[in-house]
Amino acid sequence: MTCSYVTLWDLETGKNIATIKTNSSVRTCNFSYSAYQAAYTTDKAMGHPCEVFIIDTRTIDESMSTQSPILKWEITDSKVTSMVWGTLDETIITGHEAGDLIQWDLRTGKKVHSIKEHTHQINDMQLSRDGTMFITASKDQSAKLFDTSSLELLKEYKTERPVNSAALSPILDHVVLGGGQDAMEVTTTSTRQGKFDARFFHLVFEEEFGRVKGHFGPINSLAFHPDGKSYASGGEDGYVRVQSFDQSYFDYTFDYNRE
């Protein structure tokens, strides 16, 4: 019998603080900005619906394993595949298998707003450093930048392959995208053709200005270091690569006048 759960870890010691059992696989989880709450979602499986759970994390000990959630609700739309917290810990925004983005009111668990700017599954969502914007990565071969409060579409970054992850630089107007073909479609020529490169775009002008090779399979996750001087990528090849930027990266000036 498969056991599904959410686990809370102490980063300094690696100790397992609490484990919350769930009825089906956990697809997403995230702390609120204040870290007083956390949210996680479960898949529709084994006769159980896709659900969103909000838990209190102010008292972090083994009692969390048996506490009831502050709030939970069932998802009747397509299943949740990604999620971020909205502003002031008052909302969460979920990305869905069908490409929808939905904003939820955490006082009631009711839908506030929804849009559909992607045509396929949203694989990843990450907030900007100040939380005013977030970026999505989708199987429709694009990443898109949205306003966190209004869900207004701000920018779009297009590629020729599914995008599995996208991250925003905390110090520069840069976006990094990663992805690649599904594992069953990968060929020996894919690496040579640059299908697994991390690709850098200008946040405002939406143009690609650089690529970094390294993985031998699709990139599944990306994250900038908080100081903006490096980034990490996790790939289907089983490796996590940490790349530090050299000075030329910081000296680079985007040509605003090129056509």
Side-chain angles (χ1 to χ4, degrees):
M1 180 177 179
T2 302
C3 183
S4 303
Y5 49 84
V6 177
T7 301
L8 185 67
W9 302 88
D10 185 302
L11 288 178
E12 185 175 0
T13 64
K15 179 183 177 182
N16 181 341
I17 300 173
T19 298
I20 303 172
K21 291 185 178 180
T22 61
N23 292 322
S24 58
S25 299
V26 176
R27 182 63 49 184
T28 68
C29 56
N30 224 327
F31 279 100
S32 67
Y33 178 78
S34 67
Y36 290 162
Q37 296 176 324
Y40 64 91
T41 67
T42 57
D43 283 349
K44 180 179 181 179
M46 299 178 289
H48 299 285
C50 175
E51 292 182 293
V52 179
F53 297 81
I54 310 297
I55 59 175
D56 189 331
T57 55
R58 287 174 294 181
T59 302
I60 300 178
D61 55 32
E62 293 181 358
S63 66
M64 288 184 62
S65 301
T66 56
Q67 285 180 5
S68 298
I70 301 170
L71 183 67
K72 73 172 183 177
W73 65 92
E74 183 178 329
I75 299 294
T76 56
D77 307 273
S78 64
K79 76 174 184 180
V80 176
T81 53
S82 53
M83 176 264 295
V84 294
W85 282 78
T87 53
L88 301 175
D89 295 1
E90 295 177 349
T91 62
I92 64 168
I93 303 164
T94 53
H96 293 254
E97 188 175 35
D100 307 83
L101 283 171
I102 301 178
Q103 187 179 60
W104 303 90
D105 185 338
L106 292 187
R107 293 168 297 181
T108 63
K110 301 296 184 182
K111 186 185 301 185
V112 178
H113 185 38
S114 65
I115 60 171
K116 189 177 175 65
E117 295 289 352
H118 284 291
T119 57
H120 292 76
Q121 177 174 305
I122 298 174
N123 292 319
D124 186 27
M125 297 165 63
Q126 296 192 34
L127 289 167
S128 62
R129 185 171 191 171
D130 62 5
T132 60
M133 303 180 295
F134 68 92
I135 192 167
T136 57
S138 173
K139 278 189 174 181
D140 67 9
Q141 303 183 354
S142 73
K144 299 187 179 186
L145 187 70
F146 294 89
D147 181 275
T148 304
S149 296
S150 66
L151 299 190
E152 177 187 0
L153 175 61
L154 303 175
K155 299 291 178 180
E156 181 176 8
Y157 314 96
K158 297 180 180 179
T159 72
E160 311 78 40
R161 61 180 187 260
V163 183
N164 295 333
S165 187
L168 299 165
S169 169
I171 61 172
L172 297 171
D173 288 335
H174 294 172
V175 176
V176 61
L177 312 183
Q181 304 143 301
D182 291 335
M184 67 180 65
E185 299 174 359
V186 172
T187 66
T188 55
T189 61
S190 296
T191 301
R192 294 195 299 272
Q193 294 175 354
K195 293 184 180 296
F196 310 132
D197 297 354
R199 302 173 63 170
F200 286 79
F201 288 74
H202 193 280
L203 177 76
V204 178
F205 297 101
E206 306 171 315
E207 290 191 37
E208 183 178 355
F209 65 85
R211 299 189 183 191
V212 178
K213 298 182 181 295
H215 286 286
F216 295 94
I219 294 174
N220 292 330
S221 59
L222 288 164
F224 276 97
H225 190 281
D227 66 10
K229 296 180 180 180
S230 61
Y231 77 97
S233 57
E236 191 80 23
D237 57 7
Y239 287 93
V240 174
R241 299 179 64 89
V242 179
Q243 306 275 6
S244 295
F245 299 116
D246 58 26
Q247 190 57 43
S248 63
Y249 172 79
F250 302 101
D251 292 340
Y252 171 75
T253 302
F254 191 82
D255 184 358
Y256 300 94
N257 298 314
R258 64 182 177 180
E259 295 182 356

